[in-house]
Amino acid sequence: MSTTTFETATPGRALRIGLWVAQGLIFLAFGSAGLVKLLTPIPELAAMMPWAGQYSETFVRFIGLVDLAGGIGILLPALTRILPRLTVLAALGCSVLQVFALVFHLSRGEAPVTPLNVVLLALSLFVLWGRGRKAPIAARQF
């Protein structure tokens, strides 16, 4: 098989399905976490997430907005095929956010909550790699 043939081969169906599933899971996780952080009163949120009661409401709401934006960005541009490269940037942003979340929780001695961060980091990196290199989505032609 020549190099040209290899580079232009279409990605397998399993890879494409896996990427869509990962994008959907990230959308659900980040979107729901963002909405909870944006809409739940701080005292109730602090009962669920102790750190939320120890930082300013502005910080907590900002993190909620970042989560929501990441969730929407990982799925919507790819679904609509309008600026689908934004999905790759959202995957990068979600990956960076999870690295920061891991450091944040570990520095606070909250290691038991970090497995979700590790899973979301892995999913985000998979989408970053897949949509960036292996199975990019073509932009819609207007």
Side-chain angles (χ1 to χ4, degrees):
M1 181 185 297
S2 73
T3 305
T4 305
T5 304
F6 180 73
E7 290 177 349
T8 60
T10 41
R13 182 176 181 181
L15 176 62
R16 292 190 316 268
I17 290 171
L19 285 165
W20 281 115
V21 168
Q23 287 173 255
L25 290 172
I26 294 168
F27 169 76
L28 290 174
F30 276 81
S32 60
L35 288 174
V36 165
K37 290 172 191 156
L38 284 170
L39 303 176
T40 305
I42 295 296
E44 288 179 41
L45 194 59
M48 295 185 288
M49 305 172 197
W51 66 267
Q54 300 167 356
Y55 291 88
S56 72
E57 182 173 358
T58 303
F59 177 74
V60 174
R61 303 301 186 199
F62 175 74
I63 295 300
L65 189 60
V66 170
D67 285 348
L68 186 59
I72 291 170
I74 207 96
L75 190 61
L76 193 62
L79 274 177
T80 62
R81 292 180 44 215
I82 298 171
L83 297 173
R85 67 183 175 273
L86 292 178
T87 293
V88 176
L89 293 176
L92 176 61
C94 290
S95 299
V96 169
L97 180 63
Q98 289 313 298
V99 169
F100 284 136
L102 276 165
V103 171
F104 176 79
H105 289 301
L106 289 172
S107 72
R108 294 175 43 84
E110 299 171 347
V113 302
T114 60
L116 179 61
N117 298 116
V118 172
V119 169
L120 290 172
L121 175 60
L123 289 171
S124 298
L125 289 171
F126 174 60
V127 172
L128 178 63
W129 167 80
R131 291 300 180 205
R133 301 259 180 195
K134 288 299 205 177
I137 294 177
R140 178 182 294 178
Q141 301 299 316
F142 291 99

